[in-house]
Amino acid sequence: MAAPTVVLLPVWGAGHLMPMLEAGKRLLTHSGRALSLTVLLMPAPTEEVAAELDGHVRREEASGLDIRFVRLPAVEPPMDSRGIEEFVSRLVQLHAPHVRAAMSSLSSPVAAFVIDFFCTTLLDVSRELAVPAYVYFTASAGMLALFLRLPSLHEEVTVQFEEMEGAVDVPGLPPVPPSSLPDPLMDKNHPNCTWFAYHGRRFVEADGIIVNTAAEIEQSVLAAIADGRCTRGARAPTLYPIGPVISFIPPTERRPDECVQWLDTQPPASVVLLCFGSGGFFTAPQAHEIAHGLERSGHRFLWVLRGPPAPGERLPSDANVAELLPDGFLERTNGRGLVWPTKAPQKEILAHAAMGGFVTHGGWNSVLESLWFGVPMAPWPLYAEQHLNAFTLVAYMGVAVAMKVDRKRNNFVDAAELERAVKELMGGGEEGRKAREKAMEMKAAFRNAVEEGGSSYAALWRLSEEIMCKVDTNH
């Protein structure tokens, strides 16, 4: 009899695919019995993303673990979608027949179906095949609470969220200012918002929700979800907070990147990193403000600067430094700062002793990496749920220094505000000192959580037992 398999259905984005694969691999190693992983891959929407996906697949296939990749046939993408959330949700929906066919034709019995949170339309497939289904939630528990709360919030608030009086009530979190809600919710009549509410409604149908967080850092939110306070008293699915799920590529013998070598020459905890994720880039007016702010702050910096995407591409391009930076900036900050115009090894940088703070877009994976290494943050949200993350990092977790971001002007930050935030983060201010202390506490909590006997380790064990128990009952 072939070993049972857990089927994963990730979305191809870097912040979705890697944490889900990593979670799957942890499930394999935690399971006391033979178990394999089958990953269903939807074709990536651009050649650039497809090439990245292929690189990940090659690396995992060489890992020696029992992981099989099944490539699903392409579907005709929805050309009339008005936003990324709508596009992904509808594209996933179109894959339903291929997912059903792929799962039906596997030679191993399917123990569980784990889907990305954009894939709730496929809960229908798991029900037809009588397979237990779990949602893998790649963002924070705070964001999950908002998702679960959204269907009723949609009815309660009759105006646009930003026009409402007072704050948004998300159980477990401090009162959320409407200006901190995720991008897709800014227009209630937009399909992106409708899809978010749809997914929030369907989450409760899953057998469980696996969350990339640790119980210690979002205790009150996880409790609020478990008590049914986010779902109007309706039963919430069992939560499995198994984070932080961070994929560390094993070190190779290669020389570290030049930017990491540059950090070797800097004093401990003296450098602020500015890095904005796989989708963050700036045009010249904003880059000039950053340059002036950094120069005037007097602090050492490593700035990962990316330019707008090339025509027809989705992801940022390598920066043309001459076009993006003010005249003489590189000369004036030579030795004190480094502008890195291409992708950077963020985890390696955050792990470095010279790191003192992180100006980040606040994507959840970057937040987890920062806290894993105990680096305090100044969040500069750009898209997706990052405005909510920025709020929770400052007001709920206390691991970050607030920075004023003008959402109405495409998340613009002026030089004086960046200068102030960097000085606060890196210098002697009270807010910065507290954020540094709190980040170090979180680092310890994170490491304890994933160790044997820790909260995340225990949640993963419970999940593995639950899946195996269902296999035994069904066979």
Side-chain angles (χ1 to χ4, degrees):
M1 179 76 175
T5 192
V6 172
V7 176
L8 305 184
L9 184 82
V11 168
W12 50 85
H16 290 254
L17 173 78
M18 294 314 289
M20 191 191 246
L21 272 180
E22 187 62 31
K25 284 164 26 181
R26 288 189 191 180
L27 197 55
L28 284 193
T29 52
H30 271 64
S31 174
R33 291 187 278 162
L35 194 62
S36 71
L37 277 189
T38 303
V39 186
L40 304 183
L41 294 176
M42 296 178 279
T46 70
E47 281 176 28
E48 192 182 12
V49 179
E52 219 164 77
L53 190 67
D54 291 344
H56 293 316
V57 170
R58 275 197 302 277
R59 221 182 9 254
E60 297 303 338
E61 286 181 329
S63 72
L65 287 168
D66 196 353
I67 308 179
R68 280 170 301 240
F69 290 90
V70 175
R71 291 180 184 271
L72 299 173
V75 297
E76 199 53 53
M79 297 315 281
D80 58 342
S81 54
R82 288 167 45 199
I84 186 73
E85 290 81 5
E86 183 196 4
F87 175 79
V88 175
S89 303
R90 286 175 57 193
L91 189 64
V92 168
Q93 194 172 21
L94 293 168
H95 278 92
H98 300 313
V99 169
R100 190 183 298 106
M103 281 170 71
S104 305
S105 64
L106 292 174
S107 53
S108 313
V110 178
F113 183 36
V114 180
I115 56 174
D116 183 272
F117 71 79
F118 275 119
C119 304
T120 64
T121 51
L122 301 179
L123 288 167
D124 300 337
V125 174
S126 68
R127 201 169 295 136
E128 282 167 39
L129 300 175
V131 169
Y134 297 84
V135 169
Y136 184 70
F137 197 78
T138 48
S140 68
M143 183 62 186
L144 175 59
L146 176 61
F147 252 115
L148 291 167
R149 175 88 177 81
L150 193 57
S152 51
L153 202 57
H154 226 279
E155 291 166 27
E156 290 162 30
V157 180
T158 50
V159 292
Q160 290 289 5
F161 289 122
E162 54 184 335
E163 294 161 8
M164 69 182 275
E165 298 287 316
V168 179
D169 162 48
V170 179
L173 284 180
V176 179
S179 59
S180 293
L181 288 175
D183 269 6
L185 307 190
M186 281 294 132
D187 177 0
K188 282 176 74 182
N189 308 320
H190 195 287
N192 284 348
C193 188
T194 315
W195 272 106
F196 259 42
Y198 172 91
H199 293 310
R201 249 194 314 277
R202 300 227 42 192
F203 285 167
V204 296
E205 300 171 30
D207 290 80
I209 302 179
I210 306 162
V211 197
N212 191 0
T213 193
E216 288 75 359
I217 72 164
E218 297 191 86
Q219 197 81 58
S220 60
V221 181
L222 291 163
I225 296 171
D227 295 347
R229 278 182 276 154
C230 301
T231 44
R232 281 189 169 168
R235 188 199 65 84
T238 309
L239 297 180
Y240 299 95
I242 65 164
V245 178
I246 302 171
S247 54
F248 292 102
I249 295 166
T252 51
E253 292 306 303
R254 67 173 179 78
R255 277 179 61 128
D257 287 48
E258 273 170 50
C259 58
V260 178
Q261 292 178 36
W262 179 81
L263 287 173
D264 294 339
T265 66
Q266 305 299 321
S270 68
V271 178
V272 62
L273 168 67
L274 293 88
C275 187
F276 299 93
S278 55
F281 63 87
F282 294 114
T283 54
Q286 180 64 86
H288 277 232
E289 293 289 321
I290 297 173
H292 296 315
L294 286 175
E295 193 172 342
R296 295 204 297 255
S297 78
H299 285 284
R300 298 166 192 270
F301 63 86
L302 168 53
W303 177 10
V304 181
L305 175 62
R306 310 296 306 280
E313 290 296 352
R314 294 282 284 277
L315 298 174
S317 59
D318 288 352
N320 180 332
V321 176
E323 278 178 15
L324 288 176
L325 294 179
D327 289 343
F329 170 73
L330 293 176
E331 292 71 25
R332 291 192 301 276
T333 55
N334 187 26
R336 174 163 77 80
L338 178 66
V339 176
W340 189 253
T342 184
K343 276 188 189 153
Q346 182 173 289
K347 287 186 279 256
E348 241 178 293
I349 293 169
L350 288 168
H352 201 285
M355 263 307 110
F358 184 14
V359 176
T360 169
H361 65 308
W364 190 239
N365 288 298
S366 292
V367 167
L368 295 179
E369 288 167 15
S370 203
L371 294 178
W372 179 258
F373 295 114
V375 180
M377 290 164 271
W380 180 341
L382 299 175
Y383 51 89
E385 92 289 11
Q386 293 157 14
H387 290 87
L388 183 72
N389 291 349
F391 168 76
T392 52
L393 289 172
V394 175
Y396 177 56
M397 298 179 196
V399 293
V401 162
M403 189 157 74
K404 284 193 196 74
V405 174
D406 189 344
R407 214 167 164 174
K408 294 265 192 290
R409 290 172 62 202
N410 199 19
N411 304 308
F412 196 78
V413 172
D414 62 35
E417 179 57 12
L418 181 71
E419 176 190 354
R420 185 202 63 75
V422 167
K423 282 179 171 168
E424 186 61 53
L425 186 62
M426 303 297 289
E430 186 63 7
E431 198 190 353
R433 186 185 61 74
K434 283 186 177 152
R436 284 196 290 280
E437 276 174 19
K438 210 68 184 136
M440 288 312 280
E441 278 173 36
M442 295 290 187
K443 172 181 177 174
F446 264 6
R447 287 163 192 252
N448 290 337
V450 296
E451 290 295 319
E452 194 163 346
S455 64
S456 296
Y457 187 96
L460 200 52
W461 194 83
R462 281 200 311 276
L463 176 63
S464 154
E465 285 295 289
E466 161 93 1
I467 288 173
M468 281 323 214
C469 189
K470 286 183 174 165
V471 169
D472 294 342
T473 326
N474 295 341
H475 294 284

